[in-house]
Amino acid sequence: MADDLPLDRGADWRALQRWLLGRYTLTDVLTDTPLPPDMDPVVAFDLIRHGWKKLERLLRIAAVAEVADAA
């Protein structure tokens, strides 16, 4: 799919794929995510994980569609 996108968009797509295939933990939220002072890191982590799961599902759907288009 990234091959059909402009260079900058393809790089973004591949970066998103790598992130979704990797691990993301509460430690990542605590060390790498700037949060407002009043934000509970556990709540932020839950929100990020929820979005991560939705994006992962979309990635799988896109991969299936790409295989179907190639057939």
Side-chain angles (χ1 to χ4, degrees):
M1 177 166 215
D3 296 333
D4 298 336
L5 298 172
L7 185 59
D8 59 336
R9 294 282 182 132
D12 292 343
W13 179 251
R14 286 184 294 276
L16 177 62
Q17 287 176 313
R18 280 191 306 274
W19 182 67
L20 291 173
L21 293 172
R23 289 185 54 215
Y24 195 79
T25 66
L26 182 57
T27 301
D28 295 311
V29 172
L30 295 171
T31 60
D32 299 334
T33 308
L35 298 174
D38 59 340
M39 182 70 181
D40 180 352
V42 174
V43 172
F45 177 69
D46 289 343
L47 180 64
I48 291 166
R49 290 292 293 174
H50 180 74
W52 185 89
K53 287 178 183 178
K54 285 187 173 192
L55 287 171
E56 182 185 34
R57 190 176 6 211
L58 289 174
L59 184 68
R60 281 188 269 130
I61 291 168
V64 168
E66 185 175 4
V67 168
D69 287 345

